[in-house]
Amino acid sequence: QQPVQSPQAVILREGEDAVINCSSSKALYSVHWYRQKHGEAPVFLMILLKGGEQKGHEKISASFNEKKQQSSLYLTASQLSYSGTYFCGTPRDAGGTSYGKLTFGQGTILTVHP
Amino acid sequence: NAGVTQTPKFQVLKTGQSMTLQCAQDMNHNSMYWYRQDPGMGLRLIYYSASEGTTDKGEVPNGYNVSRLNKREFSLRLESAAPSQTSVYFCASTPPRITGNTIYFGEGSWLTVV
């Protein structure tokens, strides 16, 4: 089942913060985050594993609460380059060698203005 | 280092025509995938291949066939194209889990079926 992202869209000014949430109806053992610019391929940001690990990428960090079956992506002091659509992805099945089998959320459109 | 290369980048088909999307990766990855992305939606897995000689269905396999020609190449074929198959198609590959968790996407193929 597809994870649900919220909000659907966010508009920020440079320097502002944002939080994007990703919730799943099934148990999770990892959550992947990707950013996609218009007309381009998705780019890997980070993966969150069981245990509540927080991973960082520049000024972007994330948390993962496996009990609540949700993950949140935190963008602090946003830059113009952060604009794009953010997707969370959850594994279609546990384990296996093909960990790229993900079910993606519908995406959150982030727009950063000067 | 080319990464994941897809061809063609753009294609217009008439309903009922057939075509093959080609994908090749030069990173020596075992697992390869085909995703489709419709406007305003996340990516959906069509087929994947855990290793050379094996293929399995993903979330939306109907109307498609795949071939894992060798370790480098993974093609997607539309036997009789339908307007519902108008989409952006992304090929992807992943290294062994022990070396990381990143999905490497190609640049995408824009397909329009009229």
Side-chain angles (χ1 to χ4, degrees), chain A residues 3-81:
Chain A
V4 177
Q5 292 183 229
S6 62
Q8 289 188 328
V10 184
I11 299 175
L12 300 173
R13 294 206 176 275
E14 266 188 301
E16 292 182 337
D17 302 338
V19 180
I20 300 172
N21 300 303
C22 175
S23 298
S24 175
S25 59
K26 66 174 188 177
L28 300 175
Y29 63 95
S30 68
V31 177
H32 301 230
W33 284 97
Y34 283 79
R35 177 172 62 204
Q36 185 178 32
K37 303 274 187 179
H38 184 69
E40 299 181 5
V43 173
F44 176 79
L45 291 177
M46 65 192 72
I47 180 172
L48 283 299
L49 303 175
K50 276 182 98 168
E53 293 181 59
Q54 285 201 347
K55 298 286 187 179
H57 176 80
E58 300 173 345
K59 293 182 181 178
I60 301 174
S61 61
S63 63
F64 176 36
N65 187 323
E66 62 265 27
K67 287 185 179 179
K68 292 185 178 180
Q69 297 170 190
Q70 62 184 192
S71 176
S72 295
L73 188 71
Y74 306 95
L75 300 99
T76 57
S78 59
Q79 306 169 13
L80 295 176
S81 62

Side-chain angles (χ1 to χ4, degrees), chain B residues 11-20 78 81-82 111-114:
Chain B
Q11 184 72 50
V12 178
L13 285 178
K14 292 183 179 179
T15 298
Q17 286 185 320
S18 62
M19 78 157 297
T20 300
L78 287 71
L111 177 65
T112 302
V113 183
V114 297

Side-chain angles (χ1 to χ4, degrees), chain B residues 66-92:
Chain B
V66 289
S67 296
R68 184 72 184 269
L69 305 171
N70 47 56
K71 192 172 185 178
R72 290 187 64 248
E73 299 172 291
F74 187 37
S75 62
L76 178 72
R77 182 162 179 83
L78 287 71
E79 293 290 353
S80 179
S84 62
Q85 294 178 304
T86 293
S87 190
V88 182
Y89 292 84
F90 288 98
C91 178

